[in-house]
Amino acid sequence: MLLEVSGLDVRYGRNHAVKSMDLTIGEGEVVTVLGANGAGKSSLLKAIQGTVKPSGGRVRLGGRDVTGWSAPRRVRDGLVLVPEGRQIFVSLTVHENLQMGAYSRREPVEAEISDIYERFPNLAQRRDMPASVLSGGEQQMLAIGRALLAKPKLMMLDEPSLGLSPILVQQLFQLIDQLNRDGLAILLVEQNTFMALQSAHRAYVLELGETVLQGTPEQLAEEEKKLEAAYLGAS
Ligand SMILES: Nc1ncnc2c1ncn2[C@@H]1O[C@H](COP(=O)(O)OP(=O)(O)OP(=O)(O)O)[C@@H](O)[C@H]1O
Ligand SMILES: [Mg+2]
C-alpha cells in the first residue's frame, strides 16, 4: 500500500471533523473523496499531509508510520498536497512559484521546470509575470506544476475544479488522467462527483466526518440514491 490511513481523528475543540477514518491508496491508484461542504474532506487531507495534527489514528506512507513526521518531511518522502484555493504566491513570478515547489530538493530542477512549461504553454508564456495576473485555470496549472516539482509519489488535490469553466474542468481531469497514466497516485477531493467518479478507481463518500459509502464507481452507481443523499448532506 502506498498510503494507509487508519482510525484517523481530527478535532477542532469540540468539533469532531474527521471520525476514525480508514482509507488506503495503492500504487498508481486514483482515489476520490466526495462529500458536502463541511464533511471533513480538507481536514482529512491536511491531517494526511501533516499540517493539522490528528487527535488519533495513524498515517502510513509506503509502509512507514509517518504520523509523527512534519509536513516538509512528508513532502520530501513524496506526499504532496495541492491545497484548496491553490495558495500560489501572487507576488512572485510564475517561474519563482515553480522554483518554490522544489524547495525540498537539493538537485537542480531547471530541466523539470522546462517539462512543466512544455506541459503548460500558458505558464511558459507568462513565466516572468507575477502569478497574480493568471486566470483561475492557469493558477490551478501553476499549483499542480509546483506540486509536480516536489516529485510526488502521491499527489493530493483539494477541490481542483472549483471555480473553473466547464472546458477547463474537462482539461483538468484530462491532466489528472494523464498524470495517473504516467504512474502518479492521486487522492482527489471533489464536489464535482460526476467528473471525479470518471477518473477514480475507487471513491469514499464522507458525511459529517464519517465514511458512509465506499467502493468502485460501479459499486457507487448501484447505491446512487444513498450517494445523492450523502452529497446533499441529507441523512
Ligand atoms: N481550523 C479550524 N478550526 C475550527 N473548525 C474547523 C477548522 N477547519 C475546519 N473546521 C470545521 O471542521 C469541519 C470540516 O471542515 P473541512 O474544511 O474539513 O470540510 P470540507 O469537507 O473540506 O468542506 P468544504 O467542501 O466546504 O471545503 C467543519 O465543520 C469546519 O467548520
Ligand atoms: Mg474543503
Side-chain angles (χ1 to χ4, degrees), residues 7 141 159 166 177 187 230:
M141 290 175 206
E159 300 205 34
D177 293 346
L187 176 52

Side-chain angles (χ1 to χ4, degrees), residues 143-157:
I144 292 174
R146 188 178 62 182
L148 287 173
L149 281 163
K151 269 223 162 149
K153 293 179 197 137
L154 172 61
M155 186 185 278
M156 302 193 285
L157 296 160

Side-chain angles (χ1 to χ4, degrees), residues 35-43 45-46 84 158-159 162 189 191:
N37 293 119
K41 307 180 298 297
S42 296
S43 300
L45 293 194
K46 287 176 193 163
E84 205 170 7
D158 196 348
E159 300 205 34
L162 200 70
V189 158
Q191 291 201 41

